[in-house]
Amino acid sequence: MRRLNSDLSLYLHVPFCDHRCSYCAFNTYTQLEHLIPAYIDALCRELACMARGASGRPVHTIYFGGGTPSLLSPAQCDQILSQIGNSYALAEAAEITLEANPDDLSEAYLRDLYSMGFNRLSIGMQSANEAILRLFERQHDLRAIEKSVEYARRARFDNINLDLIFCSPGETLSEWNRTVDALLRLSPDHVSMYGLELKGGTRLRQQVDAGELPAPDDDDFADMYEGASLALAEAGYAQYEISSWRRSGKECRHNLQYWRNLEYIGLGAGAHGFYRGRRYSTIAAPARYIDAVNAVSARESSFEASPAEAKVNVVSEAEDLYETIMMGLRMTREGIDRGRFAWRFGRDFVEMFPAAIERLTAARLIEVNQDRVRLSESGRLLSNAVIRQFVSGIKI
């Protein structure tokens, strides 16, 4: 197994929220906003610690995720970006993304972000249906989404993603189609569209398990996905990943880092990273994270490890193979790049899995040529089953 010496990506986790949505299983916390100033200071210290191992490798994407990064003030965002600029070699035209709730955004706030280098927004639309937004316990309505996009355009953002969730409990196909229509009227540059996952411990999962809400239907899932895919294609959006569509040149470069199984540094409470052949996660609780970072100086910290590291796994070749296939086949256009795969693992992908290739090609679920292996259009709805055909025999 060879390690690809790619440019780096930084993921910065902001775990604070005003309110926890009913479907959310992420590492987020409410009523802890008083910790934000100390948290930003700790995050900057962690950035300095981790930079020691970067060896001048350019950072080409930065992603502020959460939680709700749009709770940060412009000054706090600038403090973090200044630390990155001081500690890392920032690539020219780096992609810098902020996740945001629509109701947090004003034109003045977005102008400040743009002026300091943010050039991509990911706005949590989720639905245009007021009843579904209430079911999700979202704090915005459709008008707030419309205004947030308008403010972003005025602030000169030309790379805006909107997130959607489909197949909610009780959602009809006609209701979903109206949400897709509303999204297309907003003309985002990128669309991320996810089928609802009822994660354990969430309020929505509890309601479904208790029989208070109907469970999502598999047939509805397929109809909504296929219908939205067609509508997006007709509107000029190209699908390049199972859940992602974009206008020309507007791929999310940060997410491509994940899907290509390339290295990224995860920072902040509960962040995950893949760096120097190690997969790791950090302490989840914000107060404990702050204490751990503040207890270790940059000089004392290992260049391979965050001072708040909680779990670590040195990636084996089998694990790297598993992740490369799992993530690569999500990319509907690129798929598994056979040349890159052979360089990384020393064998051609097709030669490594001849039986699965033959079986899935015959079923018209994958497409194979001399450059790549990727899902067919009919294989996209069965992506998990297709991917299992390749990874089920890998012992990790």
Side-chain angles (χ1 to χ4, degrees), residues 218-246:
D218 288 344
D219 290 336
D220 290 342
F221 182 103
D223 290 343
M224 291 180 185
Y225 182 86
E226 290 181 325
S229 298
L230 179 60
L232 287 164
E234 290 176 345
Y237 293 87
Q239 185 177 16
Y240 70 107
E241 189 266 343
I242 291 292
S243 302
S244 304
W245 289 257
R246 52 78 174 163

Side-chain angles (χ1 to χ4, degrees), residues 11 13 27 29 39 43 46 50 265-273 279-286 288-289 292-293 305-312:
Y11 173 79
H13 192 66
N27 185 49
Y29 302 85
Y39 185 85
L43 187 59
E46 188 186 18
M50 295 292 281
I265 301 175
L267 305 113
H272 292 251
R279 290 196 180 274
Y280 67 91
S281 61
T282 57
I283 295 168
R288 290 185 55 231
Y289 162 83
V293 173
S306 163
E309 187 173 270
K311 296 180 181 179
V312 62

Side-chain angles (χ1 to χ4, degrees), residues 42-54 83 87-88 267 275 293 296-307:
L43 187 59
C44 288
R45 287 172 63 86
E46 188 186 18
L47 277 161
C49 289
M50 295 292 281
R52 296 181 66 201
Q83 182 65 60
S87 300
Y88 297 82
L267 305 113
Y275 186 46
V293 173
V296 181
S297 70
R299 181 174 298 175
E300 295 169 324
S301 175
S302 164
F303 67 82
E304 291 186 348
S306 163

Side-chain angles (χ1 to χ4, degrees), residues 38-321:
Y39 185 85
I40 301 304
D41 290 341
L43 187 59
C44 288
R45 287 172 63 86
E46 188 186 18
L47 277 161
C49 289
M50 295 292 281
R52 296 181 66 201
S55 303
R57 289 169 63 185
V59 170
H60 75 122
T61 72
I62 303 168
Y63 195 101
F64 286 63
T68 311
S70 51
L71 288 177
L72 302 185
S73 69
Q76 289 165 338
C77 291
D78 191 47
Q79 181 183 347
I80 297 168
L81 289 183
S82 295
Q83 182 65 60
I84 293 171
N86 291 334
S87 300
Y88 297 82
L90 195 59
E92 188 175 351
E95 176 189 272
I96 306 178
T97 302
L98 183 94
E99 284 186 351
N101 279 339
D103 45 324
D104 293 333
L105 301 179
S106 67
E107 185 175 345
Y109 179 78
L110 291 170
R111 286 186 181 278
D112 285 341
L113 295 185
Y114 186 84
S115 69
M116 66 183 69
F118 285 91
N119 50 29
R120 186 174 184 273
L121 284 177
S122 183
I123 300 174
M125 177 179 177
Q126 315 311 4
S127 178
N129 185 298
E130 300 298 330
I132 291 173
L133 290 172
R134 288 194 299 272
L135 178 67
F136 288 166
E137 299 182 36
R138 298 290 290 175
Q139 304 300 293
H140 67 263
D141 56 16
L142 178 57
R143 182 56 179 157
I145 299 165
E146 294 168 342
K147 294 296 288 184
S148 68
V149 173
E150 179 184 344
Y151 294 149
R153 295 302 190 198
R154 288 181 185 172
R156 299 175 59 193
F157 280 90
D158 64 356
N159 197 350
I160 299 172
N161 171 70
L162 293 179
D163 278 345
L164 290 182
I165 297 175
F166 66 97
C167 207
S168 308
E171 183 176 27
T172 66
L173 183 58
S174 61
E175 288 171 337
W176 167 243
N177 289 339
R178 286 195 291 273
T179 285
V180 175
D181 289 343
L183 174 132
L184 292 175
R185 287 195 297 273
L186 294 170
S187 193
D189 307 285
H190 189 283
V191 177
S192 299
M193 188 180 79
Y194 305 100
L196 178 67
E197 291 187 66
L198 293 171
K199 297 284 190 178
T202 62
R203 173 64 178 152
L204 210 54
R205 173 66 179 270
Q206 293 167 353
Q207 290 174 296
V208 171
D209 288 348
E212 298 170 13
L213 293 171
D217 180 85
D218 288 344
D219 290 336
D220 290 342
F221 182 103
D223 290 343
M224 291 180 185
Y225 182 86
E226 290 181 325
S229 298
L230 179 60
L232 287 164
E234 290 176 345
Y237 293 87
Q239 185 177 16
Y240 70 107
E241 189 266 343
I242 291 292
S243 302
S244 304
W245 289 257
R246 52 78 174 163
R247 294 204 185 276
S248 179
K250 301 299 184 180
E251 295 92 346
C252 179
R253 288 156 50 197
H254 186 85
N255 284 345
L256 284 170
Q257 191 86 354
Y258 299 151
W259 298 326
R260 291 171 178 161
N261 199 21
L262 300 175
E263 290 190 324
Y264 64 98
I265 301 175
L267 305 113
H272 292 251
F274 175 37
Y275 186 46
R276 300 184 66 86
R278 306 159 79 250
R279 290 196 180 274
Y280 67 91
S281 61
T282 57
I283 295 168
R288 290 185 55 231
Y289 162 83
I290 292 168
D291 289 343
V293 173
N294 290 341
V296 181
S297 70
R299 181 174 298 175
E300 295 169 324
S301 175
S302 164
F303 67 82
E304 291 186 348
S306 163
E309 187 173 270
K311 296 180 181 179
V312 62
N313 175 54
V314 178
V315 178
S316 68
E317 181 166 357
E319 289 168 328
D320 198 47
L321 176 63

Side-chain angles (χ1 to χ4, degrees), residues 12-25:
L12 308 166
H13 192 66
V14 181
F16 306 101
C17 285
D18 281 335
H19 179 82
R20 190 178 187 90
C21 299
S22 63
Y23 56 82
C24 180

